[in-house]
Amino acid sequence: MPSLLNLKYSLRSLKQNKFTLFINIFGFSVSLAFVIMIGLYINREYSVDDFHVDKERIFRIDQANVDEYTGFPIQFAEDLAAAFPEVDKILRIVEGDVDIQIPTGERFVQRVMFTDNSLFSVFSFDLKEGDAGSVLLTQKDIVLSETFASRLFGSEPAIGKSLFMGADSMEYFTVSGVVRDFGNSHLVCPDVIMSLEYERNNKYMKPYYKGYQMWNSDTYVKAVRGSNLPSKQDEINDYFSKYTNALWSDTEKSNGAHIEVVPVTDIYFTGRCGDFGRCNDKDFLSVMIVTALLILIFAGINYLNMSVSQSGFRAKSAAIQRLLGSSKGDMFWGFITESVGVCLVSGIIAILLAWIAYPWFGRVMSADLAFGENVGWWGMVSFVVVILVIGTLSGWIPATVISSFKPIEVARGTLRRKTKTVYSKVLITFQYTITTILLGCTIIIARQIDYMQNSDLGFDSENVIAFSYDRNNFTSRQSVEHTLRAIPGVENVSSCSDFPTSVQNSFIYRDKEGVVRYVQRFYADTNFVSVLGIPVLYEHVNNGYWFNETIAKRIGLTEESLVYADNGIYADVKGVVKDFHIHDFSHAIDEVW
């Protein structure tokens, strides 16, 4: 082990090479800071939904290998629970909009979550006010998010207060609970949670919620303790095949479309986010892990290169140590201790840099990150172990070179030539190889980003603003349009049910070959096409449906076609527009009318 004299020589050497020491610590600290941030992010992503008390009993019922994930009818969960005794509780989530008038008199349309009162007994979400057994018991009960409750009522308790709101008519609802943010869950906390029974009895929606007409519910179940619900997946598919066979297209069936029982801790990585969900890709996280390892390796090699390059200059000091009686072992461990010490200092600085930069990193990753979240004692121990390993490995070659030389080599200058011709060339070549690979990856990523930013979407995305309002109220729509047209600079206004990148209306049809297909549908006024600048291929004077190129070719429309009628579908043809994207570039062009 290093003696006090060797440690003294190490400190003196570091003091004499302040610039090199600064470069080593600065470079290593910045690299470690990025590794720490990436590591914390990856740890957080892989621990999504781990906090639920009965996580091993919670599942979401999905449609797997389908083109468009649409959820299930409300009735499906009830039939599932009745047919399979392994199901203990059911939970359904449906997205919707309601009008809300807050105490200040302001009125607006609010996106809400309609759900069962089992939400807080299936999931372990934290209620700030109220308890799991007393919320959403009636159709007029609501739960507010902590943020929204604070906005409406300030610091006053919200429970028991009333809100004037509704979907088909305005009425008073009672706040039965206030929920804190959902935390590290695949579900995103909405501002308002309402009873699913209220939505189910909405006079406009009630006919559609009967039976298996509307497939729009994210369905969760909590299994009976000790049961094995995933083992019943094939039986579930067989039981509901009469419904899914009519829903799934022939292409989806050939691709293996099926009902899947997904554990709650796996939902985040399915790619099927749902109405109030968020998701991630394991392949992306794998890329992040490789990136962190490359940064770590690159930083270690850079530190090693700097150390090796200085070994020749430190030879004179080392020769004096040898002549004064220091053994090879003392010198070797002295250099290892020096390397580990520099790495520990760099690690401490890296933690500080990561703490400062973590909010920025969270914005870049589009995630609400908290520094040190989900990191226990094992995380700190792992970090210290990594620092010790890196410090030992980084100091091993310089320690071996300097401790094994003979003092005569210093006088001849062969030691310096040896370190420069052997070790440095190998390390620098390896470093340049990694650099070249990273530059290539950077060029590819830059080209992909340029493609996504500048490719033709098929519609005009510049100077177009989209927002929601009560589209069911015709008077409200006319008033909004009139107000908007009066604003200087507004050239045109269009009202629509959906817009590109946010389509929620779809239906299925059977084409002329008998194949079942999905169609994305927009309900819009006559200005929709012109406002979005969608190129028109041909247009008729009559009112009717616009079709995009893809579906027009599929169903055999021509420029002379005034009506499409087939398989029970009748539609007047307004015209055909060029194809445009309604999803990201990983999706093919959808059929749209």
Side-chain angles (χ1 to χ4, degrees), residues 202-227:
N202 182 321
K203 67 181 182 181
Y204 294 114
M205 304 302 298
K206 192 173 183 177
Y208 298 102
Y209 281 127
K210 290 182 179 179
Y212 280 67
Q213 297 186 66
M214 182 172 288
W215 295 64
N216 68 334
S217 165
D218 292 331
T219 302
Y220 298 83
V221 298
K222 191 170 187 178
V224 173
R225 193 177 303 277
S227 64

Side-chain angles (χ1 to χ4, degrees), residues 6-230:
N6 288 323
L7 291 176
K8 182 178 179 181
Y9 276 119
S10 294
L11 292 173
R12 181 183 297 173
S13 176
L14 292 174
K15 187 176 180 180
Q16 290 173 348
N17 297 276
K18 294 178 181 178
F19 182 73
T20 302
L21 179 64
F22 171 76
I23 293 296
N24 272 337
I25 292 178
F26 177 77
F28 204 49
S29 298
V30 173
S31 300
L32 278 178
F34 275 100
V35 171
I36 290 171
M37 290 190 291
I38 293 173
L40 290 174
Y41 171 74
I42 292 172
N43 175 68
R44 180 182 185 273
E45 296 300 278
Y46 276 109
S47 60
V48 169
D49 287 310
D50 268 350
F51 65 91
H52 297 299
V53 174
D54 293 317
K55 60 184 179 183
E56 70 282 351
R57 298 170 54 199
I58 305 171
F59 303 90
R60 190 175 73 183
I61 312 301
D62 277 5
Q63 295 180 50
N65 298 337
V66 296
D67 294 332
E68 295 293 334
Y69 177 70
T70 56
F72 289 91
I74 289 176
Q75 184 65 39
F76 169 82
E78 296 171 3
D79 292 345
L80 180 69
F84 293 89
E86 291 83 4
V87 176
D88 181 23
K89 296 179 180 179
I90 61 173
L91 170 66
R92 296 155 296 185
I93 293 176
V94 174
E95 180 190 33
D97 295 324
V98 298
D99 280 341
I100 292 182
Q101 183 171 317
I102 62 177
T104 60
E106 180 185 357
R107 182 170 172 171
F108 53 87
V109 176
Q110 177 68 44
R111 180 173 179 250
V112 301
M113 173 191 286
F114 293 106
T115 187
D116 296 295
N117 60 8
S118 57
L119 175 68
F120 297 100
S121 57
V122 171
F123 295 118
S124 302
F125 298 135
D126 185 21
L127 283 164
K128 180 182 178 183
E129 299 181 35
D131 60 79
S134 62
V135 298
L136 302 178
L137 294 181
T138 73
Q139 295 185 30
K140 297 296 183 66
D141 285 347
I142 59 174
V143 174
L144 305 180
S145 69
E146 184 178 14
T147 302
F148 195 62
S150 177
R151 171 187 169 188
L152 298 182
F153 307 114
S155 58
E156 297 180 11
I159 195 166
K161 288 187 166 55
S162 297
L163 273 183
F164 194 52
M165 53 191 287
D168 54 359
S169 61
M170 299 292 286
E171 48 195 324
Y172 284 99
F173 288 74
T174 304
V175 179
S176 62
V178 175
V179 63
R180 301 186 193 276
D181 183 76
F182 284 176
N184 195 23
S185 170
H186 76 281
L187 286 173
V188 177
C189 184
D191 284 335
V192 181
I193 302 173
M194 301 181 65
S195 170
L196 181 61
E197 289 305 308
Y198 172 80
E199 168 71 357
R200 199 174 189 175
N201 291 307
N202 182 321
K203 67 181 182 181
Y204 294 114
M205 304 302 298
K206 192 173 183 177
Y208 298 102
Y209 281 127
K210 290 182 179 179
Y212 280 67
Q213 297 186 66
M214 182 172 288
W215 295 64
N216 68 334
S217 165
D218 292 331
T219 302
Y220 298 83
V221 298
K222 191 170 187 178
V224 173
R225 193 177 303 277
S227 64
N228 187 1
L229 186 62

Side-chain angles (χ1 to χ4, degrees), residues 300-313:
I301 291 176
N302 187 63
Y303 175 77
L304 187 56
N305 261 333
M306 295 290 288
S307 300
V308 170
S309 67
Q310 290 296 309
S311 60
F313 296 102

Side-chain angles (χ1 to χ4, degrees), residues 284-579:
F284 171 72
L285 294 184
S286 296
V287 171
M288 295 292 290
I289 291 172
V290 172
T291 301
L293 290 175
L294 284 176
I295 292 174
L296 201 57
I297 293 171
F298 199 80
I301 291 176
N302 187 63
Y303 175 77
L304 187 56
N305 261 333
M306 295 290 288
S307 300
V308 170
S309 67
Q310 290 296 309
S311 60
F313 296 102
R314 297 184 60 176
K316 183 177 180 181
S317 174
I320 294 174
Q321 288 179 252
R322 289 292 301 277
L323 293 173
L324 290 176
S326 294
S327 65
K328 290 183 179 181
D330 287 342
M331 294 182 62
F332 177 87
W333 287 110
F335 279 100
I336 293 294
T337 302
E338 176 186 321
S339 176
V340 170
V342 171
C343 287
L344 284 173
V345 172
S346 300
I348 294 171
I349 296 175
I351 293 174
L352 179 62
L353 292 176
W355 176 69
I356 294 172
Y358 209 54
W360 164 82
F361 185 75
R363 290 193 295 271
V364 171
M365 302 306 295
S366 300
D368 185 15
L369 304 178
F371 191 77
E373 182 182 24
N374 296 324
V375 176
W377 62 268
W378 63 268
M380 297 304 298
V381 170
S382 299
F383 178 74
V384 173
V385 169
V386 168
I387 291 296
L388 292 176
V389 170
I390 293 174
T392 302
L393 294 178
S394 300
W396 195 275
I397 291 179
T400 302
V401 171
I402 295 178
S403 64
S404 62
F405 80 96
K406 298 176 182 179
I408 190 65
E409 291 180 325
V410 177
R412 293 175 179 173
T414 56
L415 175 65
R416 187 174 176 185
R417 288 196 300 271
K418 180 181 178 182
T419 57
K420 294 184 70 174
T421 58
V422 180
Y423 299 103
S424 294
K425 285 186 177 180
V426 172
L427 293 172
I428 289 173
T429 299
F430 185 69
Q431 196 173 27
Y432 281 173
T433 301
I434 295 178
T435 302
T436 303
I437 294 173
L438 291 177
L439 284 174
C441 293
T442 302
I443 292 172
I444 293 172
I445 293 172
R447 291 180 58 127
Q448 288 294 319
I449 292 174
D450 179 71
Y451 175 80
M452 290 187 288
Q453 289 181 331
N454 299 314
S455 291
D456 183 18
L457 299 174
F459 62 91
D460 185 10
S461 59
E462 297 293 330
N463 302 317
V464 176
I465 299 174
F467 60 91
S468 297
Y469 64 94
D470 185 8
R471 55 180 176 264
N472 294 318
N473 188 321
F474 185 76
T475 304
S476 172
R477 179 169 69 84
Q478 287 184 315
S479 175
V480 169
E481 290 184 6
H482 179 74
T483 302
L484 291 174
R485 293 181 192 279
I487 299 175
V490 174
E491 295 184 359
N492 207 345
V493 178
S494 172
S495 293
C496 54
S497 62
D498 303 273
F499 50 89
T501 72
S502 179
V503 182
Q504 298 178 7
N505 286 307
S506 64
F507 71 97
I508 59 175
Y509 77 101
R510 192 173 293 275
D511 67 12
K512 55 187 179 182
E513 284 82 26
V515 178
V516 176
R517 299 188 179 279
Y518 281 102
V519 176
Q520 305 299 325
R521 179 162 54 185
F522 294 85
Y523 293 98
D525 60 19
T526 55
N527 295 326
F528 180 76
V529 171
S530 59
V531 166
L532 287 178
I534 302 173
V536 176
L537 295 180
Y538 55 86
E539 178 180 3
H540 301 306
V541 295
N542 59 293
N543 289 325
Y545 289 94
W546 288 101
F547 297 80
N548 72 339
E549 287 178 281
T550 297
I551 192 172
K553 292 177 181 178
R554 178 80 64 187
I555 62 179
L557 290 183
T558 65
E559 193 166 350
E560 290 75 32
S561 301
L562 297 178
V563 172
Y564 170 69
D566 194 21
N567 290 319
I569 298 177
Y570 182 92
D572 293 317
V573 178
K574 173 65 176 174
V576 175
V577 298
K578 290 185 69 67
D579 286 334

